[in-house]
Amino acid sequence: MNQFHYEYKMAKSWTLQAGSMLKEAIAENIKVEYKTSLSDLVTEQDRGIENYFIHNIKKEFPDHFILGEEGQSNDREFNPYENYVWIIDPIDGTTNFIHQKRNFSISVAFYKNGKPIFGFIYDPIQEELFEAIKGGGAYINQSKLPEAKPAGLGEAVISINPMWLIPNNKFDHQKFIPIVDKARAVRYLGSAALEMAYVASGRLDAMLDFRLSSWDIAAGLIILNEVGIIPTKVNNEPIDVFQHATTLAARPNLHEELLFYLK
Ligand code: 2AM
Ligand code: CA
């Protein structure tokens, strides 16, 4: 990792700075725009924070590429499996940012030739920085997160996107009935990145979400991996961070138990 120490140091300082900017922004009037529908929101902060990262990355690392949710980097076509790639979600949980002014995060990950190097998920309201360097363990602020322990569904608090619990064209919603029935409790936070960080830190025992994008999961995958949790798609196929994916991240045992109901 020594090789990427400078990238890591810069990424950490940009992420914390971006968090401060978002914290300031929620005290102001947030202007909302719609992307594809009334529930697909974007704000000038989504674009502003993404541009902040793009500006800094291009200045420091001009040969690196950037994948950001708002797509503002204007990178020419590139093969993510053969380059240095920064994967940025400037605000994960934009709806929460607008409505709740909390429960959102900044997700930043750095990959080399398709392989994870490091990732950050920052909740600027709680001032919680989840981070991991591949092979170096995962941390919340300065505290190392322990290896994930097994758990059964009956003692698990799990996060499910409610859209999966109603008839939908992606998945048979009836498969979730026994899961909701048997779980100790079901929650939904609304920031996929934070949900992954919460699974890594034991606040949630599992999270399930659909059709997530690279920027929603890139940092979370690295952090989870460091505590011994390997997220998969809900059909148990491996996740390729550069493709859309359903996501099932759960403690050992619970992952298998959930797959049993989802098959
Ligand atoms: P976002 O806030 O960065 O869009 C709940 O909405 C979770 O699903 C969030 O992490 C959100 O990320 C993600 N998500 C992915 N695609 C989405 C979409 N088309 N509309 C709303 N949320 C989406
Ligand atoms: Ca976003």
Side-chain angles (χ1 to χ4, degrees):
M1 168 61 198
N2 272 345
Q3 194 193 347
F4 297 109
H5 188 71
Y6 186 65
E7 282 83 348
Y8 167 81
K9 206 177 78 179
M10 297 313 286
K12 188 166 183 162
S13 107
W14 297 333
T15 303
L16 293 171
Q17 181 59 32
S20 301
M21 294 193 273
L22 287 180
K23 209 169 167 177
E24 277 170 32
I26 56 172
E28 313 275 317
N29 189 19
I30 300 167
K31 278 197 236 110
V32 182
E33 289 171 46
Y34 305 98
K35 292 206 268 193
T36 56
S37 71
L38 262 182
S39 53
D40 191 5
L41 310 178
V42 66
T43 67
E44 62 192 49
Q45 283 75 26
D46 293 81
R47 300 197 181 104
I49 298 293
E50 184 172 289
N51 276 333
Y52 168 78
F53 278 100
I54 292 169
H55 171 81
N56 283 300
I57 293 166
K58 295 280 177 203
K59 194 167 81 182
E60 291 287 344
F61 312 111
D63 58 333
H64 292 188
F65 290 91
I66 300 161
L67 260 182
E69 175 163 23
E70 310 311 329
Q72 300 180 118
S73 75
N74 294 322
D75 274 335
R76 62 191 186 280
E77 286 273 300
F78 67 96
N79 178 349
Y81 305 99
E82 287 179 3
N83 283 288
Y84 293 112
V85 183
W86 294 76
I87 309 179
I88 314 278
D89 194 342
I91 307 179
D92 185 61
T94 298
T95 306
N96 290 348
F97 173 69
I98 295 161
H99 284 257
Q100 304 182 331
K101 302 189 189 302
R102 70 197 68 219
N103 297 325
F104 59 88
S105 59
I106 299 162
S107 175
V108 176
F110 181 60
Y111 282 67
K112 177 191 176 188
N113 299 339
K115 300 268 182 334
I117 307 292
F118 59 74
F120 295 94
I121 296 172
Y122 185 43
D123 173 345
I125 304 306
Q126 299 290 341
E127 295 184 3
E128 288 182 326
L129 180 69
F130 300 85
E131 62 174 299
I133 297 168
K134 175 81 185 148
Y139 291 79
I140 171 171
N141 294 339
Q142 305 303 325
S143 295
K144 189 162 195 223
L145 295 172
E147 192 81 0
K149 294 197 180 72
L153 186 54
E155 52 184 345
V157 178
I158 65 176
S159 166
I160 303 178
N161 188 323
M163 298 306 281
W164 264 3
L165 304 178
I166 59 174
N168 66 82
N169 59 12
K170 296 192 171 76
F171 202 81
D172 176 5
H173 71 287
Q174 309 223 34
K175 292 189 175 177
F176 286 100
I177 292 172
I179 294 176
V180 173
D181 188 40
K182 289 185 167 56
R184 176 170 287 167
V186 181
R187 301 283 182 265
Y188 185 59
L189 206 58
S191 160
L194 265 191
E195 285 156 15
M196 293 174 96
Y198 279 21
V199 172
S201 54
R203 295 176 188 176
L204 286 171
D205 301 290
M207 61 80 74
L208 298 108
D209 214 329
F210 55 64
R211 207 148 194 280
L212 295 175
S213 302
S214 305
W215 37 84
D216 300 313
I217 58 174
L221 293 176
I222 304 173
I223 294 167
L224 282 161
N225 194 52
E226 290 301 315
V227 297
I229 292 180
I230 314 244
T232 63
K233 297 186 194 179
V234 296
N235 61 5
N236 203 23
E237 283 175 7
I239 294 174
D240 176 346
V241 70
F242 297 106
Q243 307 285 333
H244 284 293
T246 59
T247 305
L248 163 57
R251 289 175 186 268
N253 293 29
L254 184 55
H255 192 268
E256 279 171 43
E257 197 174 346
L258 289 168
L259 284 172
F260 169 80
Y261 293 110
L262 295 171
K263 71 178 180 290

